[in-house]
Amino acid sequence: MTGRERREQLVAVGRRLFAEKGFEATSVEEIAARAKVSKPIVYEHFGGKEGLYAVVVDRETSTLLGALEASLDDPRQHPRILMERAALAFLTYIDDHEDGFRILVRDSPTAAGSGTYSSLLGDVAAKVEAILAAQLRMRKYTTKDASGYARMLVGMVAYTGQWWLETRTPSREEMAARMVNLSWYGLGALEKSPRLQQH
């Protein structure tokens, strides 16, 4: 193998092991054994399992964020269509990159900061916030709540995605339609000054 091919092989092996066992339970010895190489080869390419893990997480984060940003990238589209595209893009990523999603939602090493699942969701929420603010403004609502509403929507999709990963029913298209149904009709009847009924 060339150095590049070996590196890609180690990334694929590491990705599989991190998804199966998590970061803490995966050892350099195991990575080397699965790849049929010596431990020094792993250290030579990545400096250790932390370096390999960082590469895997960075690739998965880029893949998921790219898919979500592409789904939200046409401001001329109706907001409901954007919501549908984003929900479907998220579920498609889970379906097509199951190992990667399992890695992203697991606890990452304590040194991790940017590039984590929560920072990725924050990036997506910022994009959704801009879309929501424009829609709220058009409907003469205050835009100060756009940040909170964006995080509620992103949280709903992210948590539902974790549940759906294990069940895979209904289909991703139907699950996306259900998420959009709940959020769209909730936003459609949004009160300008919501109050708790019991107070």
Side-chain angles (χ1 to χ4, degrees):
M1 280 189 185
T2 66
R4 184 186 188 91
E5 289 168 338
R6 177 67 71 197
R7 184 177 172 84
E8 289 306 310
Q9 179 209 20
L10 290 170
V11 168
V13 167
R15 184 177 184 267
R16 217 167 305 117
L17 280 168
F18 293 136
E20 287 171 18
K21 304 178 76 172
F23 175 79
E24 293 300 333
T26 299
S27 67
V28 171
E29 290 83 2
E30 202 169 4
I31 294 165
R34 279 246 189 131
K36 296 181 172 51
V37 297
S38 64
K39 279 171 39 180
I41 298 290
V42 178
Y43 287 109
E44 178 188 323
H45 283 278
F46 300 100
K49 77 171 180 176
E50 292 82 3
L52 175 56
Y53 185 84
V55 169
V56 170
V57 168
D58 184 58
R59 286 186 182 186
E60 293 304 323
T61 301
S62 296
T63 300
L64 177 53
L65 189 58
L68 290 170
E69 286 183 337
S71 73
L72 296 169
D73 205 29
D74 187 356
R76 298 165 302 176
Q77 283 293 335
H78 192 277
R80 179 172 177 144
I81 300 298
L82 292 176
M83 289 172 74
E84 289 176 0
R85 287 182 177 175
L88 192 55
F90 192 77
L91 293 172
T92 299
Y93 169 81
I94 293 171
D95 220 10
D96 295 348
H97 302 268
E98 181 179 328
D99 283 351
F101 186 69
R102 287 188 188 282
I103 292 165
L104 290 179
V105 298
R106 265 205 178 99
D107 290 338
S108 50
T110 50
S114 62
T116 63
Y117 185 59
S118 59
S119 70
L120 177 140
L121 293 179
D123 292 346
V124 174
K127 187 114 179 157
V128 171
E129 181 181 342
I131 293 166
L132 271 181
Q135 292 300 312
L136 290 170
R137 199 175 299 112
M138 276 176 29
R139 289 165 174 76
K140 306 214 181 326
Y141 283 76
T142 177
T143 57
K144 69 179 177 60
D145 296 329
S147 180
Y149 285 135
R151 276 143 189 86
M152 289 175 213
L153 289 170
V154 170
M156 177 183 71
V157 173
Y159 188 71
T160 303
Q162 288 178 259
W163 169 81
W164 186 79
L165 171 64
E166 304 305 331
T167 64
R168 299 298 172 101
T169 55
S171 70
R172 63 187 176 193
E173 291 79 11
E174 190 176 339
M175 194 73 247
R178 289 180 181 184
M179 284 192 282
V180 172
N181 187 41
L182 175 62
S183 54
W184 183 256
Y185 287 106
L187 287 168
L190 204 64
E191 296 175 327
K192 289 193 177 182
S193 300
R195 295 278 183 268
L196 296 174
Q197 295 295 312
Q198 62 185 5
H199 290 277

